[in-house]
Amino acid sequence: MLDFRVKTFLTVCRTLNYTRAAEELSLTQPAVTQQIANLERSYGVKLFSYRHRKLSLTAAGRIAYQGLSAIAHDEELLRHKMSASTSGSAIPLRIGMTLTAGEYLVAAPLGRYLREHPEISVTVRSGGTRAVLDMLDANEIDCAFTEGFFDKSSYLWQNLCTERFVAVCAGNHRFAREPRRLEDLLGETLILREAGSGSREVLVHALAARNLSTDAFAGTCTVESLDIIKIFVAEDLGISFVYEAAVEQECVDGSLRVVELPDTPMSHDVCFVRLKGSLHEKEMNELFRAVSRQRLSA
């Protein structure tokens, strides 16, 4: 069984607040402080530092968090597997997906894989890149498919695919002069995803590489739903930047069209991410290979 001090440590890592951790664990704050102190004595290192009224992990604490998160995840998955083996129940699998990657790139091949494996009961959680990785760190999911930027040194990851990231406008939109690069679009209203979205991060990085920001456009509109963004663009309320796979059907029916920017090609990786050091890495690799194979055979 996982040492309760470890559970306390992981909760403090997630909240970075002793009071909130105590509330979540139904403990007193002194009890939480004592358990962290006991854990620090066991490891012989300081796990947290407190400066300017802010709690943060030390370098040793970050190493402990990475390793103990994997152990906590393994224990929970082991419990589920043992329960399934004795009761005959389905084996649970919790997957996180960023919205674009999930809906347009992963859902169909994952669905075909699950059809072939009825013994698996899947739970899918969605959100922005940061939200999905927070779920992974908190042991709320087992793995994730994400198209956003993340610290690749902190996780195990594999590249599922590389997708074109394109500008789109209404099918009937006419520019005064057909754009060839990002700068040619600055006179347009930009419709973009919310902060924390992987798609928005890709755009922000592409703009920053050219010393630009979203403020450089004539106007901006923030929308949390990709489907609504596509509707707004089709109604000629502005342009947007999306993964090409997400607008294939709309480009076929003519409601949207891709604005080719030969001087500014953009693409980004969609990655399969999980915690380092898991005992279940073999199963995670099998899942990745199966989803990759299903994508290629579609």
Side-chain angles (χ1 to χ4, degrees):
M1 292 180 61
L2 196 67
D3 191 319
F4 195 78
R5 293 176 303 172
V6 173
K7 294 181 180 179
T8 300
F9 169 70
L10 293 175
T11 304
V12 175
C13 287
R14 180 166 46 81
T15 61
L16 290 178
N17 185 291
Y18 282 109
T19 301
R20 285 205 297 273
E23 291 172 352
E24 288 191 20
L25 295 166
S26 299
L27 297 173
T28 64
Q29 184 172 329
V32 169
T33 303
Q34 183 179 23
Q35 288 190 29
I36 296 300
N38 287 339
L39 201 60
E40 289 178 328
R41 282 195 294 272
S42 295
Y43 286 123
V45 296
K46 291 292 291 182
L47 298 172
F48 294 98
S49 63
Y50 193 79
R51 295 180 180 176
H52 307 298
R53 304 179 66 180
K54 184 177 180 181
L55 192 68
S56 62
L57 282 162
T58 63
R62 287 192 293 273
I63 294 171
Y65 179 50
Q66 189 175 78
L68 293 174
S69 293
I71 292 171
H73 168 262
D74 282 351
E75 186 194 36
E76 183 162 344
L77 193 54
L78 184 62
R79 286 176 181 272
H80 288 314
K81 285 185 175 180
M82 289 190 295
S83 176
S85 71
T86 57
S87 66
S89 59
I91 299 172
L93 176 63
R94 305 167 302 170
I95 302 177
M97 300 181 187
T98 49
L99 297 172
T100 303
E103 186 169 354
Y104 296 99
L105 300 170
V106 179
L110 176 62
R112 290 190 289 272
Y113 168 76
L114 293 172
R115 188 176 61 227
E116 296 174 359
H117 294 274
E119 75 279 8
I120 296 176
S121 173
V122 69
T123 299
V124 176
R125 303 278 301 276
S126 297
T129 299
R130 186 65 264 163
V132 168
L133 293 177
D134 284 345
M135 285 185 249
L136 185 62
D137 291 338
N139 191 27
E140 296 173 5
I141 56 176
D142 303 312
C143 55
F145 291 92
T146 175
E147 82 268 14
F149 290 91
F150 63 96
D151 180 4
K152 292 184 175 179
S153 66
S154 297
Y155 302 92
L156 284 179
W157 60 275
Q158 290 160 289
N159 184 25
L160 178 68
C161 59
T162 300
E163 292 292 316
R164 278 220 310 162
F165 193 66
V166 298
V168 292
C169 66
N172 60 0
H173 185 77
R174 295 293 175 264
F175 296 97
R177 184 177 65 180
E178 195 64 19
R180 293 185 56 83
R181 54 182 188 157
L182 273 174
E183 287 83 350
D184 296 335
L185 295 172
L186 298 182
E188 305 289 330
T189 295
L190 173 64
I191 304 174
L192 72 166
R193 289 284 302 278
E194 74 283 1
S197 160
S199 299
R200 179 165 176 154
E201 288 183 350
V202 172
L203 174 60
V204 168
H205 276 73
L207 290 170
R210 303 178 78 85
N211 294 316
L212 298 170
S213 72
T214 56
D215 293 334
F217 287 83
T220 60
C221 174
T222 301
V223 179
E224 293 186 359
S225 164
L226 177 57
D227 287 337
I228 294 176
I229 287 177
K230 291 194 289 185
I231 292 171
F232 279 10
V233 174
E235 292 296 327
D236 211 11
L237 298 178
I239 65 165
S240 192
F241 291 81
V242 299
Y243 285 98
E244 190 171 29
V247 292
E248 284 182 353
Q249 185 56 51
E250 289 79 7
C251 289
V252 169
D253 67 30
S255 60
L256 298 177
R257 71 179 177 94
V258 172
V259 182
E260 296 291 353
L261 301 174
D263 290 348
T264 319
M266 292 180 286
S267 64
H268 195 67
D269 296 338
V270 175
C271 294
F272 177 61
V273 186
R274 61 267 189 216
L275 295 175
K276 286 183 175 180
S278 173
L279 298 176
H280 305 281
E281 180 57 21
K282 180 180 177 181
E283 290 94 328
M284 293 293 103
N285 267 314
E286 289 175 353
L287 172 64
F288 172 76
R289 286 194 295 267
V291 172
S292 299
R293 187 169 60 250
Q294 292 289 355
R295 284 193 75 253
L296 295 174
S297 64

